[in-house]
Amino acid sequence: MRYLLHGFYTLSVMRKKINLILLFSLCIGNTSAQNSHLLHKINCDTAHFHFEDYVDSMEQYELRMGAKKYLNTNDERLKLAFYVALTRYPELHHTRVILKHKPINSTMQAQPSPEFMFKRKNKRGYRIFVNNNPLRTGIDYKKLSFNGLVGWIGHEFAHLIDYNTMNNRALLGFIAGYIFDKKTMRQTERNADRETIKRGLGIQLLDGVSFFEKNNKTSKKYRKRKQKNYLSEAEIIVNIEKNCNH
């Protein structure tokens, strides 16, 4: 019995060592991920997206999900990240979504199309703006890892899912609340982060937030707004682990 227990103990130690080696290899292997130093704190859901692994799938993505999608950009990396994130939101596969560049005071922004009040909810379209003037925020989206880019687009899709639950009158009231009520803004953005994590894009979201926190060019106003209204790195990790346990 003593030798049997010793054998189980040795096997347990070996398994732990193997898991540590695999996790260490994962951490150092993903050099493009800005948050690799945090991976050891997460028990699961550590998959990363790399542009090279998905670029050959672009045509298939467009055939499967490209209906009513209008990507007004020449950035192939951004287009691919859009579709990779979209795979986690099947409810939006047949929804009209326009992606376009625009100088805005954040990195990305999701809105209903201006004519939404005159259309039925099931005919409603949406727009996702991507900031093309880094001087406004100090953040250049092109410097995000592909993994982080997927996470942040996933966050915008989470907003669209939220908008889809509202009729036109409720959506109009929500927009007013978001603009004029700081609590509504904070709750909305944090809920979008949580939905992104539930969709399996927690590590991607964390990648983007880690990049944001490390970027010393980020404007003070944008940094303050982001830190006040969105989940922190530590909160994202907690929510990833909660998601893994369900």
Side-chain angles (χ1 to χ4, degrees):
M1 178 62 72
R2 185 180 66 182
Y3 292 110
L4 182 59
L5 291 174
H6 179 72
F8 280 127
Y9 174 76
T10 303
L11 180 60
S12 176
V13 172
M14 288 178 65
R15 284 177 176 172
K16 288 181 179 179
K17 288 182 177 180
I18 290 172
N19 287 336
L20 286 172
I21 291 170
L22 289 174
L23 190 54
F24 179 73
S25 298
L26 179 63
C27 290
I28 62 174
N30 287 301
T31 54
S32 65
Q34 286 93 359
N35 64 301
S36 60
H37 67 291
L38 296 168
L39 291 182
H40 69 282
K41 299 179 181 178
I42 301 172
N43 292 327
C44 68
D45 196 15
T46 54
H48 279 70
F49 297 123
H50 300 280
F51 179 79
E52 297 79 9
D53 296 335
Y54 291 87
V55 64
D56 292 337
S57 301
M58 185 66 177
E59 186 175 344
Q60 290 300 317
Y61 285 149
E62 289 176 330
L63 288 172
R64 182 157 59 96
M65 301 177 288
K68 301 181 181 180
K69 304 299 182 296
Y70 305 94
L71 310 188
N72 300 327
T73 178
N74 294 322
D75 188 340
E76 296 300 321
R77 187 169 166 270
L78 179 61
K79 289 180 182 179
L80 185 59
F82 176 95
Y83 281 116
V84 171
L86 188 60
T87 61
R88 303 302 177 98
Y89 294 87
E91 310 97 310
L92 299 175
H93 286 187
H94 301 287
T95 300
R96 186 173 186 268
V97 181
I98 297 172
L99 178 77
K100 63 186 298 184
H101 293 287
K102 181 181 178 179
I104 55 177
N105 293 325
S106 59
T107 308
M108 298 181 189
Q109 189 178 80
Q111 296 179 352
S113 296
E115 69 277 7
F116 79 91
M117 283 298 295
F118 307 104
K119 291 189 176 184
R120 295 179 181 178
K121 186 173 75 170
N122 61 352
K123 298 291 184 181
R124 188 187 295 156
Y126 300 99
R127 303 181 298 177
I128 295 177
F129 297 118
V130 179
N131 184 30
N132 59 355
N133 183 3
L135 294 178
R136 296 178 75 107
T137 62
I139 293 287
D140 185 353
Y141 84 90
K142 293 181 179 179
K143 294 184 179 179
L144 272 166
S145 69
F146 182 74
N147 196 56
L149 193 57
V150 170
W152 278 18
I153 294 176
H155 173 95
E156 301 308 320
F157 285 146
H159 282 305
L160 303 192
I161 292 295
D162 190 24
Y163 301 160
N164 261 346
T165 66
M166 307 177 198
N167 61 34
N168 289 344
R169 180 178 293 180
L171 182 56
L172 186 62
F174 164 79
I175 293 171
Y178 185 93
I179 295 172
F180 298 109
D181 183 5
K182 294 180 180 180
K183 289 183 179 179
T184 298
M185 177 187 289
R186 186 172 191 270
Q187 182 180 12
T188 299
E189 296 301 347
R190 291 171 70 84
N191 284 343
D193 278 346
R194 293 188 185 99
E195 183 63 30
T196 306
I197 294 167
K198 289 178 182 177
R199 299 291 175 136
L201 296 176
I203 287 295
Q204 288 67 39
L205 183 65
L206 182 62
D207 228 8
V209 174
S210 181
F211 168 79
F212 175 89
E213 292 295 342
K214 291 178 181 177
N215 187 354
N216 56 16
K217 294 183 180 180
T218 305
S219 71
K220 291 182 179 179
K221 184 176 181 180
Y222 187 33
R223 186 180 298 278
K224 183 178 180 181
R225 186 171 80 244
K226 191 86 170 171
Q227 291 175 338
K228 181 178 180 180
N229 295 313
Y230 297 73
L231 295 182
S232 66
E233 290 177 280
E235 288 173 315
I236 291 172
I237 290 172
V238 169
N239 277 269
I240 290 173
E241 292 183 336
K242 285 181 180 178
N243 191 56
C244 290
N245 293 328
H246 283 79

